[in-house]
Amino acid sequence: MPFVKVVKNKAYFKRFQVKFRRRREGKTDYRARKRLITQDRNKYNSPKYRLVVRLSNRHCICQIVYSEITGDKVMAHASSAEMPRYGLTVGLKNYAACYCTGLLVARRLLKELGLDEIYEGNLTGEDEEDDDYEYSPEVISTSYNKRTYYVEELNDDKNPFHALLDIGIQTTSTGARIFGALKGAVDGGLDVPHSEKRFPGYDRDAKEYDADVHKERIFGEHVAEYMRYLIEEDAAKYATQFAEYVAAEIEVDDIEELYQETHAKIREDPAKAAKKPFEGDKSFKRTAKLTYDERKARVEAKRAELNASDEEEEEDEEEEEDEE
């Protein structure tokens, strides 16, 4: 019989170290996380802020987070589930909805910090001061003191809020929805380092960026184009796949205007909705706990009842014997 080397011997298992729980579950990329949260020692206790973007089966979630030894702290949170407040009730996980969510978390954070009027970001609608203004999703940056800021103009007194994109374990493919949330946050006034290489419309072979393709995605034109295709080719499939659009009476030509109105409403009031007071079933009342004396009296009453029933049975048996 040939010699077989035992690789996983006793020494291997004695020295085996179990990986972190979230690594075992495949939830956290600790190599990326270390680089996102580790701060230089000479910067003392100033944290690194992250723009965390996560996608579920139904919604897009954006948060501004910083890390401490005790755990992560959330400064601002926004979800596409909040979009019905701003008039968007359908398509809450597509590219355009992710853009709206990123815009919401950016405006909400800057309003809490008092930077919302200093850094307004990139407007997607009409500009009151400039009649010829037209939105363009080109990457905007400003260089100052050997550093690049991804905002249109720097303020003399206050720097923009700087954050790093945290995408978790999601794939960074060109045109992914996570970059829609990134673009929304940047247009909302945050300073998030990025380039156009992962935006829709970028051609890797030609190394060219078509901003019009990206603009169409932001305003949901790709959804409208598919709606037009289904209306012509398969009306039955359109009625089932876009049933919520039909119920909300959203026409194909209204989608761009719908997203523009949503962006404007987000900028008007980015604050969190007031919490609704809990209204439970007030008719239900829990039985009061008995005191020691009440419990003792209850036991005595039960004992007396049992004794009385035993006496009655004995009397009945005696009467039956006397009759016999």
Side-chain angles (χ1 to χ4, degrees):
M1 186 175 177
F3 172 74
V4 179
K5 183 182 179 182
V6 179
V7 178
K8 292 186 178 180
N9 52 16
K10 185 178 180 182
Y12 169 84
F13 289 106
K14 283 179 74 174
R15 294 166 183 270
F16 181 78
Q17 184 177 2
V18 179
K19 288 181 168 55
F20 291 152
R21 177 180 58 83
R22 289 184 64 86
R23 171 62 189 87
R24 297 198 306 269
E25 294 172 353
K27 291 181 178 179
T28 300
D29 180 359
Y30 280 99
R31 187 173 184 272
R33 179 178 169 82
K34 181 189 173 185
R35 285 152 180 77
L36 283 169
I37 68 174
T38 305
Q39 185 63 285
D40 297 333
R41 284 188 177 182
N42 61 356
K43 294 184 180 177
Y44 304 102
N45 201 28
S46 58
K48 270 188 178 179
Y49 298 101
R50 293 176 286 140
L51 170 64
V52 179
V53 181
R54 297 291 183 269
L55 296 169
S56 70
N57 287 337
R58 296 178 60 198
H59 299 120
C60 171
I61 301 165
C62 295
Q63 294 176 332
I64 303 297
V65 180
Y66 66 95
S67 183
E68 289 185 350
I69 293 175
T70 53
D72 286 1
K73 309 291 183 183
V74 180
M75 293 184 67
H77 169 91
S79 170
S80 59
E82 300 177 56
M83 288 302 123
R85 276 182 61 205
Y86 303 102
L88 182 65
T89 57
V90 292
L92 300 180
K93 65 172 186 176
N94 58 27
Y95 192 94
C98 291
Y99 177 91
C100 294
T101 311
L103 178 66
L104 177 58
V105 75
R107 300 309 300 167
R108 182 171 289 174
L109 174 74
L110 294 180
K111 187 171 184 180
E112 289 179 2
L113 299 177
L115 297 172
D116 55 331
E117 294 181 0
I118 299 173
Y119 295 101
E120 293 185 351
N122 200 4
L123 298 174
T124 53
E126 297 179 355
D127 192 352
E128 296 177 357
E129 298 178 359
D130 187 3
D131 297 333
D132 299 330
Y133 175 80
E134 186 178 354
Y135 171 71
S136 174
E138 294 280 355
V139 176
I140 298 171
S141 62
T142 304
S143 295
Y144 175 73
N145 200 15
K146 297 182 180 179
R147 183 179 166 185
T148 303
Y149 298 88
Y150 292 85
V151 292
E152 191 170 1
E153 190 177 350
L154 281 176
N155 184 265
D156 295 334
D157 298 327
K158 295 184 178 180
N159 282 346
F161 188 91
H162 181 75
L164 302 172
L165 180 64
D166 182 344
I167 59 165
I169 57 170
Q170 297 168 92
T171 305
T172 55
S173 57
T174 304
R177 290 172 292 170
I178 47 177
F179 299 113
L182 163 67
K183 184 59 180 170
V186 171
D187 285 351
L190 295 185
D191 172 25
V192 185
H194 65 286
S195 69
E196 71 275 358
K197 289 185 178 180
R198 286 302 179 190
F199 287 150
Y202 181 79
D203 187 358
R204 188 172 64 178
D205 297 329
K207 294 185 179 179
E208 294 177 352
Y209 173 56
D210 189 355
D212 292 334
V213 175
H214 193 188
K215 185 177 178 181
E216 289 175 357
R217 284 289 181 93
I218 290 171
F219 292 114
E221 186 58 34
H222 60 297
V223 179
E225 188 178 340
Y226 185 56
M227 289 171 74
R228 293 189 189 97
Y229 168 77
L230 284 185
I231 289 170
E232 293 177 3
E233 299 295 329
D234 193 348
K237 188 176 180 181
Y238 170 80
T240 55
Q241 189 158 349
F242 290 96
E244 292 184 1
Y245 286 74
V246 174
E249 298 180 355
I250 298 173
E251 300 293 334
V252 178
D253 300 328
D254 300 338
I255 288 181
E256 183 175 350
E257 187 179 347
L258 171 66
Y259 284 112
Q260 284 181 343
E261 290 175 357
T262 304
H263 299 164
K265 289 177 182 176
I266 287 171
R267 288 182 176 274
E268 281 177 19
D269 182 23
K272 290 185 288 187
K275 247 187 176 180
K276 294 181 180 178
F278 176 70
E279 297 177 359
D281 185 9
K282 295 182 180 179
S283 61
F284 174 77
K285 288 187 178 180
R286 193 182 298 275
T287 54
K289 191 174 181 181
L290 299 176
T291 62
Y292 174 74
D293 295 331
E294 288 174 339
R295 293 200 304 271
K296 200 170 182 180
R298 187 182 174 195
V299 171
E300 291 297 333
K302 284 185 178 180
R303 188 178 293 167
E305 188 179 345
L306 289 171
N307 291 336
S309 62
D310 290 341
E311 289 175 2
E312 287 179 4
E313 288 178 2
E314 289 176 1
E315 288 176 1
D316 292 339
E317 289 176 0
E318 288 175 2
E319 288 177 1
E320 289 177 0
E321 290 176 358
D322 293 340
E323 289 176 359
E324 290 177 356

